[in-house]
Amino acid sequence: MILSLIMPMIACKADVESIVEHEPVGRVSGVVTNESGQGLPDVLVEVGNITTRTTTNGDYTLEGVAPADDLLVKFSSVGTTETYRQIDLHGWETATANAVLMSVDHTQVISAVDGGTVTNGEVEIFFPSNAFGDYNGEVTVTFTYFDPYEDNLLATPGDLSGLALADNNDAKSGTEPASLVSYGMLNVQMSDQNGDDIQLGEGVSAGVSMPITNGELADTYHLGDGSEAPTWHFDTQRGTWVETGVGIVSEDEDGGLTFTFNANEFSWWNCDQGYVPSCAFGRITDIIKFPVRSAEVVCQGAQSTSIVTTDEDGN
């Protein structure tokens, strides 16, 4: 009689221990649309080595994602720009990551050995000869220009915050957080003859010229002929914009502005001014005042944007 009572208790304890030892896993879910708000099917969505594709309606769910801060979600599709979202995933939650993908502007094939200029409208990218290291085949270059005054800022990667080079004794040293106001962006994707991604060789840079705009920014923020402005590159490893150098602004007789700079690798490039970040605080709760965790919050301003996910308390 005593033995029969003890045996179920042991089994129950074992079941409890097996549950406790389970590592939490969450999900990432959202919708991918084009510039008109229509759902995009068959978009590849990646978090690390976990992948899925969007449905015919543009929605997706990534299962089995380990909770972490600053998870980078990548969205890519043939014939569109690629973009990224950085999110926080808490416990067994479902975190939201939505994206907008733009149709590509131009695709051109060049020789890795000979180099050459790819151009479309006012955008030009000059590749020197032997710019791709030991690779000597054909390179397919696809690029898309983004006007931050007219186009949807949600199509850009991350949000418009980044790491600015900090002044230290009249020299640039280290980085500090900055909020960015964009004047123009460029997404460049390159692939070899097998369709695999390819980058410039070590120590090689390409010359880039692209139009920029002051939009409706206040005169204080206007760029003009001869202005210098920082160049920003979206670092796909860190998931943020990083200040990398300086470009020069020129103005034509009609008042149009062109930004010229050198790029040593390609994903997204941005002509930006970095400013001390400003912050908005809030809390999201449901109807019974319970905190909503891992929700997407978007704040859009003049040629700038910020996207975050709420923490465990809904902040």
Side-chain angles (χ1 to χ4, degrees):
M1 182 71 173
I2 293 174
L3 182 62
S4 66
L5 289 172
I6 293 173
M7 295 272 296
M9 290 174 65
I10 293 172
C12 182
K13 181 180 180 182
D15 289 343
V16 170
E17 287 179 346
S18 67
I19 293 173
V20 170
E21 290 174 358
H22 257 305
E23 292 294 330
V25 290
R27 300 189 299 177
V28 180
S29 183
V31 180
V32 184
T33 63
N34 62 16
E35 301 146 88
S36 302
Q38 299 170 319
L40 285 176
D42 203 35
V43 174
L44 179 63
V45 186
E46 306 171 68
V47 174
N49 59 1
I50 302 175
T51 66
T52 189
R53 289 187 178 272
T54 57
T55 68
T56 54
N57 297 320
D59 56 85
Y60 74 91
T61 299
L62 279 166
E63 302 279 0
V65 181
D69 292 338
D70 300 330
L71 285 172
L72 192 63
V73 187
K74 178 182 179 181
F75 303 87
S76 58
S77 179
V78 176
T80 71
T81 55
E82 63 184 20
T83 198
Y84 300 81
R85 287 284 173 266
Q86 197 171 64
I87 61 169
D88 296 335
L89 179 60
H90 309 285
W92 298 86
E93 305 289 338
T94 299
T96 302
N98 299 316
V100 177
L101 300 184
M102 298 174 62
S103 299
V104 298
D105 285 342
H106 184 70
T107 299
Q108 190 172 329
V109 177
I110 62 171
S111 164
V113 174
D114 299 331
T117 300
V118 296
T119 181
N120 182 54
E122 298 177 74
V123 176
E124 285 191 0
I125 308 173
F126 171 73
F127 294 92
S129 59
N130 301 305
F132 298 90
D134 295 332
Y135 179 70
N136 58 11
E138 291 184 335
V139 178
T140 301
V141 182
T142 299
F143 64 86
T144 305
Y145 174 72
F146 180 91
D147 184 333
Y149 177 61
E150 294 185 350
D151 295 323
N152 189 341
L153 284 166
L154 296 181
T156 62
D159 63 3
L160 285 181
S161 62
L163 297 174
L165 294 174
D167 288 321
N168 184 13
N169 296 326
D170 297 324
K172 294 288 189 178
S173 175
T175 58
E176 58 187 8
S179 293
L180 308 184
V181 174
S182 178
Y183 296 79
M185 300 188 207
L186 189 66
N187 176 235
V188 181
Q189 302 170 59
M190 304 181 299
S191 58
D192 62 21
Q193 54 200 23
N194 296 320
D196 296 324
D197 292 342
I198 191 172
Q199 279 290 348
L200 298 172
E202 186 176 355
V204 177
S205 62
V208 181
S209 294
M210 67 179 187
I212 59 171
T213 178
N214 288 313
E216 291 187 350
L217 295 172
D219 291 346
T220 305
Y221 304 119
H222 278 199
L223 297 176
D225 192 39
S227 297
E228 290 187 351
T231 56
W232 300 75
H233 174 249
F234 187 78
D235 187 323
T236 58
Q237 300 301 312
R238 291 191 276 182
T240 191
W241 293 95
V242 179
E243 184 181 352
T244 57
V246 175
I248 303 297
V249 178
S250 59
E251 185 174 352
D252 62 27
E253 57 186 15
D254 297 321
L257 301 177
T258 299
F259 188 60
T260 302
F261 62 97
N262 290 321
N264 56 6
E265 63 178 295
F266 283 105
S267 63
W268 283 80
W269 282 88
N270 198 351
C271 173
D272 257 296
Q273 298 280 28
Y275 300 96
V276 176
S278 57
C279 296
F281 299 92
R283 188 166 186 255
I284 299 179
T285 64
D286 62 20
I287 195 169
I288 58 172
K289 305 302 181 183
F290 193 81
V292 178
R293 311 194 300 184
S294 300
E296 184 180 69
V297 182
V298 180
C299 179
Q300 289 186 269
Q303 296 174 213
S304 186
T305 187
S306 182
I307 305 171
V308 297
T309 48
T310 55
D311 65 17
E312 295 188 59
D313 296 317
N315 296 314

